[in-house]
Amino acid sequence: MKLFRSTSLFIQGILIAGMLSACQNESDTALAPQAPANTSDQNARTAVAAGTLIKDGNTTLAYNSQDPTLLWKESNANTQFVFTYAPQLISAMKFTYGNPAPEYKYFLDTFGRCVQTVTDKTYIYEYNADGQLTKIYNKYQPDERREFSYAVDATGWKKSLSTVKFYDEQGAKTKELTFTYGGATGIPDKHPLNPDVFPAGVSKYLRIFGNFNTNLVQLLIEDKYLPNGQKASSTTHAYSYTLGTMGKAKNITVKKINGTLVSSTDRTYTMPKYNF
């Protein structure tokens, strides 16, 4: 009985210490936005935590010390974003060559998805019944927009991003991107990021825009259009990957279909930690 009482007091002490620690007002401590309700988003968060991306080409990433799934800092040679979290709001202080700029803001719904960003412009984000992004548009010039469509992937039950159409302020289509993932021979994407289709200033590393794919992109077709609606050009990009021991891409090489190198990006991850 004495041992039981001592154990109970010990556990209570741990709980109280944890509560006091959570209340500390440190610069890198923040409240997490409400976690998404659907299972796929929760799985995505878990995957990110197990071997976190800390280097993506010239971009360096750092995470909240209390919750390693929360991005704290995103840095490259000239620009740095420092993120702070509140319920249904993420703020990003931007520094260019060390000089602060007005804060960027991400407004979230109750599922943890971004519904509005305020960067150089203000954009609204819409989602379908599956929680996938379907439209981004300029709040003050709605014809300036990006429309997303999805196709069922090789598993037959998940949908991956198929096309993104870009429209200017006059409502004319300027560009269309088409993604393919290799079908039955696709490579699972074990550390998914947002595709490079967002407005300027919006981070590709914040996982607050729903899920876009289950496999790594194999081909990307970029069609560009003239103001009169005629297609001006079409370019096919082929992707190849080098995978690490955890099955995550440690190098991404992009070439045009004629073999011309477009980019080669190295990625570095933390090693996952296990608690026994």
Side-chain angles (χ1 to χ4, degrees), residues 25-272:
N25 185 22
E26 299 179 358
S27 60
D28 61 349
T29 302
L31 294 174
Q34 182 170 343
N38 66 65
T39 303
S40 58
D41 281 350
Q42 292 171 353
N43 289 342
R45 286 171 174 267
T46 302
V48 169
T52 306
L53 181 66
I54 54 175
K55 188 79 173 176
D56 183 27
N58 294 322
T59 300
T60 301
L61 306 170
Y63 297 85
N64 185 287
S65 61
Q66 303 300 313
D67 185 346
T69 67
L70 295 179
L71 181 63
W72 169 48
K73 189 182 294 184
E74 175 185 331
S75 311
N76 58 41
N78 304 323
T79 306
Q80 182 180 89
F81 291 93
V82 178
F83 299 92
T84 56
Y85 296 77
Q88 295 183 236
L89 174 66
I90 301 173
S91 299
M93 178 63 74
K94 180 182 180 182
F95 298 87
T96 303
Y97 295 103
N99 299 313
E103 272 191 328
Y104 289 174
K105 294 187 180 295
Y106 301 79
F107 296 89
L108 313 180
D109 64 13
T110 56
F111 297 104
R113 296 177 305 222
C114 183
V115 292
Q116 179 175 297
T117 58
V118 179
T119 55
D120 298 330
K121 297 181 180 181
T122 299
Y123 287 92
I124 305 297
Y125 298 74
E126 296 181 352
Y127 298 83
N128 59 23
D130 297 318
Q132 291 182 296
L133 184 64
T134 56
K135 187 177 181 180
I136 304 173
Y137 65 91
N138 185 331
K139 182 176 181 179
Y140 302 107
Q141 293 180 303
D143 285 339
E144 181 188 342
R145 65 194 191 277
R146 300 165 197 209
E147 297 179 347
F148 298 72
S149 61
Y150 298 81
V152 176
D153 64 16
T155 66
W157 61 280
K158 286 189 176 181
K159 294 181 179 179
S160 294
L161 181 63
S162 176
T163 61
V164 183
K165 299 177 182 179
F166 297 73
Y167 298 86
D168 63 18
E169 296 173 355
Q170 288 71 46
K173 184 164 73 170
T174 60
K175 183 170 65 173
E176 181 172 335
L177 302 178
T178 302
F179 301 83
T180 57
Y181 302 90
T185 61
I187 305 170
D189 189 350
K190 295 191 175 182
H191 199 107
L193 301 179
N194 302 321
D196 292 319
V197 297
F198 284 82
V202 175
S203 176
K204 68 183 289 183
Y205 304 102
L206 289 173
R207 296 286 296 155
I208 55 175
F209 299 97
N211 294 320
F212 293 96
N213 57 286
T214 54
N215 289 337
L216 293 166
V217 173
Q218 298 292 327
L219 289 177
L220 169 63
I221 301 174
E222 180 181 24
D223 295 329
K224 294 183 178 180
Y225 292 84
L226 300 172
N228 62 7
Q230 291 185 334
K231 187 184 293 187
S233 64
S234 182
T235 306
T236 299
H237 298 86
Y239 287 68
S240 61
Y241 301 89
T242 301
L243 304 181
T245 56
M246 295 181 289
K248 298 181 180 183
K250 66 178 186 179
N251 176 269
I252 303 171
T253 298
V254 183
K255 295 181 179 180
K256 294 182 180 180
I257 203 68
N258 63 6
T260 302
L261 179 66
V262 176
S263 64
S264 179
T265 304
D266 291 323
R267 288 182 176 177
T268 303
Y269 305 85
T270 60
M271 292 301 295

